[in-house]
Amino acid sequence: MLIHVFGLLGAALSMSIAWPQVYRSCVRRRTGGLSATACMLSVAMPLGWITYGLLIGDRFQVVTNTVSASTGLAILIALLATRPGTRAVRPLLASAGAAAGVLIVVLGTAASAALPQVTGHRAAAMLGTALAAVSFVSAVPQPLALLRDRHQDISGLSPVRWVLAASACGSWLAYGIGVGQPAVWASALIGLTSALTVCAVLFARRSALTPATA
């Protein structure tokens, strides 16, 4: 029972994560500090976890990541609309490369599930391993962008979004360990580390400049 509570909590938090950022980026049109690569991966990765959830019949994964993919797409559109430089061919291709790689892996694994000798759970295990590995790559761009340029405009980043992300990853970590899904807890552990890094940078910089706002 407790494990399902962590799953429900993780799902609820994950579906709430992006809304502060959606408001900031789509309504207030503030996208300073957002990484284009991270935004594209925030669309591609949920699509991978939706596929994983469908293969193993995990409704938490399907519902949660459907919402995450939708909000991620809204933020990505806002970023491309407000920062023309991200729409140039070379930066766009560079940012889209990692996301395209994730989608290729997802499509390949989903296709393998149609083979007679490959069960849904076996395909899910392969996809989960790939997604856990890619989670490391997808978790790097945003904190790396902040750490590399400590003087960049970060007005487009919502601290609330990253606090929720850390909480959600903590819940998924507990859920993944409890239900024995290594792909879930490994990915959550990577996401938790990334979110805590971003939180530390944001709060350190904002406390030195102006009070943080959601």
Side-chain angles (χ1 to χ4, degrees), residues 12-205:
L13 287 170
S14 295
M15 288 187 286
S16 304
I17 284 174
W19 292 108
Q21 189 63 60
V22 169
Y23 173 75
R24 184 171 290 234
S25 300
C26 299
V27 178
R28 301 181 67 183
R29 300 182 68 79
R30 295 170 64 181
T31 57
L34 284 174
S35 162
T37 301
C39 286
M40 291 191 181
L41 285 169
S42 71
V43 178
M45 288 297 288
L47 293 177
W49 286 113
I50 289 171
T51 305
Y52 175 85
L54 290 172
L55 289 171
I56 65 171
D58 189 333
R59 64 183 182 277
F60 289 140
Q61 292 287 351
V62 175
V63 174
T64 300
N65 286 289
T66 297
V67 175
S68 297
S70 301
T71 53
L73 181 60
I75 295 168
L76 174 60
I77 292 172
L79 173 67
L80 295 174
T82 56
R83 285 165 54 185
T86 60
R87 301 196 300 269
V89 175
R90 183 173 295 178
L92 189 61
L93 290 176
S95 299
V102 172
L103 294 178
I104 290 172
V105 171
V106 172
L107 290 173
T109 307
S112 73
L115 298 174
Q117 65 271 31
V118 180
T119 64
H121 280 271
R122 183 177 177 185
M126 292 188 293
L127 178 58
T129 300
L131 289 174
V134 175
S135 292
F136 176 78
V137 178
S138 66
V140 168
Q142 189 61 70
L144 182 62
L146 294 176
L147 293 172
R148 289 179 62 183
D149 184 359
R150 300 187 179 184
H151 302 288
Q152 68 173 300
D153 174 22
I154 59 171
S155 62
L157 289 172
S158 169
V160 174
R161 179 254 187 270
W162 290 98
V163 170
L164 288 172
S167 301
C169 287
S171 297
W172 283 120
L173 176 62
Y175 175 77
I177 292 173
V179 298
Q181 294 183 20
V184 173
W185 67 254
S187 179
L189 180 60
I190 294 168
L192 178 60
T193 303
S194 174
L196 290 176
T197 301
V198 174
C199 286
V201 173
L202 286 179
F203 283 106
R205 287 188 56 184

